[in-house]
């Protein structure tokens, strides 16, 4: 069974640009979570999508946004990039609510570098 | 929101049992505790999940006291390949009427296993 996949692996942008990161969940999973992990720091919760809707977001500015598609894949968009947005962005997925443990399974991440 | 704290680092020797504790004083009734292992530049890997008392699987045990304000991940007979950062995650399973679905990762414990 394929795990969570993310693309691209690495992304280099300059300040002020926009970045789009993509995530494909494990087959059968309907929830997608996004986390930011800055270098040497822990994981900060960004967004949670389930069944196409944003269920909640962490303490990040509105320039961090995303969406979930009908096939449950997801995009994270970061507008007006700032240097401190440089981080590893992790996507996780979990099964439908009520069907077993809502354990989050993580992808390998996208390394975003803002110059 | 359940704020979590963990020791920053621990050293151990091969073959020893390692116990890593996570404090989550404000854990909510519907929150579960999940532990992850993370290697550099990789996504976290699920280890174990529990709600109360003791849970055991093929790689670890999780001890949660009755008040649930802390949890302890126990790794039996660690090896060099267990050198990694270990995170606890506190968050709800399923939907709750409160509408708050924040997922709070601990600060992470850097475990170094020595030969």
């Amino acid at each position: 069974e394929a795990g969570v996949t993310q693309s691209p692996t690495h992304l280099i942008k300059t300040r002020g640009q926009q970045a789009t990161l993509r995530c494909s969940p494990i087959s059968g999973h309907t929830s997608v979570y996004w986390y930011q992990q800055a270098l040497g720091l822990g994981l900060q919760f960004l967004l949670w999508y389930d069944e196409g809707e944003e269920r909640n977001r962490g303490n990040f500015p509105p320039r961090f946004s995303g969406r979930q598609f009908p096939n449950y894949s997801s995009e994270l968009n970061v507008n007006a990039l700032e240097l401190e947005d440089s981080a590893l962005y992790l996507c996780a997925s979990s099964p439908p609510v009520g069907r077993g443990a809502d354990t989050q399974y993580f992808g390998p991440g996208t390394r975003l570098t803002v110059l | 929101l359940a704020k979590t704290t963990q020791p920053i680092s621990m050293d151990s020797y091969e073959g020893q049992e390692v116990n890593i504790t996570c404090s989550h004083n404000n854990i909510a009734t519907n929150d579960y505790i999940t532990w992850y292992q993370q290697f550099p530049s990789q996504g976290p890997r699920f280890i174990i999940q529990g709600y109360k008392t003791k849970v055991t699987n093929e790689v670890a045990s999780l001890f949660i006291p009755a008040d649930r304000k802390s949890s302890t991940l126990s790794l039996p007979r660690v090896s060099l390949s267990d050198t990694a950062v270990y995170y606890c995650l506190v968050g709800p399973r399923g939907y709750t009427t409160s509408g708050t679905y924040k997922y709070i990762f601990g600060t992470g414990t850097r475990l170094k296993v020595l030969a």
Side-chain angles (χ1 to χ4, degrees):
Chain A
E1 180 183 281
V4 177
T5 59
Q6 293 186 245
S7 63
T9 304
H10 294 89
L11 187 59
I12 299 175
K13 294 285 186 178
T14 57
R15 267 193 315 180
Q17 285 189 315
Q18 178 197 38
T20 298
L21 289 64
R22 297 177 178 82
C23 172
S24 291
I26 292 172
S27 177
H29 286 191
T30 59
S31 277
V32 169
Y33 312 80
W34 288 95
Y35 292 86
Q36 181 196 64
Q37 187 174 35
L39 188 63
L41 298 180
L43 293 92
Q44 302 296 318
F45 170 67
L46 260 167
L47 289 159
W48 171 31
Y49 291 96
D50 182 70
E51 296 286 355
E53 293 188 22
E54 182 181 300
R55 297 297 179 181
N56 215 339
R57 62 183 294 128
N59 297 323
F60 283 84
R63 58 190 185 84
F64 286 84
S65 65
R67 55 180 173 167
Q68 187 178 34
F69 299 98
N71 67 352
Y72 304 113
S73 66
S74 177
E75 271 184 3
L76 174 68
N77 295 295
V78 188
N79 294 320
L81 284 166
E82 300 177 1
L83 295 178
E84 52 265 35
D85 296 333
S86 294
L88 181 67
Y89 288 84
L90 292 158
C91 171
S93 72
S94 69
V97 172
R99 299 185 188 179
D102 295 352
T103 303
Q104 297 180 31
Y105 296 90
F106 284 81
T110 292
R111 172 73 63 189
L112 172 64
T113 302
V114 182
L115 303 176
Chain B
L1 300 180
K3 181 180 178 181
T4 60
T5 56
Q6 302 175 230
I8 294 175
S9 65
M10 297 179 68
D11 287 347
S12 181
Y13 288 95
E14 279 190 294
Q16 288 189 330
E17 178 185 72
V18 170
N19 295 309
I20 305 174
T21 298
C22 179
S23 296
H24 27 80
N25 291 322
N26 298 320
I27 190 169
T29 302
N30 56 322
D31 282 342
Y32 281 70
I33 300 137
T34 311
W35 283 82
Y36 290 87
Q37 176 193 56
Q38 188 180 31
F39 298 109
S41 298
Q42 294 185 23
R45 183 177 73 94
F46 171 81
I47 301 175
I48 197 167
Q49 183 183 73
Y51 183 80
K52 61 180 179 180
T53 64
K54 178 183 176 182
V55 179
T56 298
N57 62 20
E58 62 276 9
V59 299
S61 294
L62 177 59
F63 300 92
I64 305 169
D67 65 6
R68 304 200 328 120
K69 293 186 177 182
S70 66
S71 59
T72 299
L73 172 71
S74 181
L75 304 172
R77 297 181 297 283
V78 294
S79 63
L80 295 176
S81 62
D82 292 320
T83 294
V85 179
Y86 292 81
Y87 291 96
C88 67
L89 168 65
V90 176
R93 277 176 57 176
Y95 295 113
T96 67
T97 55
S98 68
T100 56
Y101 311 117
K102 303 287 188 181
Y103 295 93
I104 310 297
F105 268 91
T107 49
T109 298
R110 189 173 301 276
L111 172 65
K112 185 175 182 180
V113 180
L114 307 170

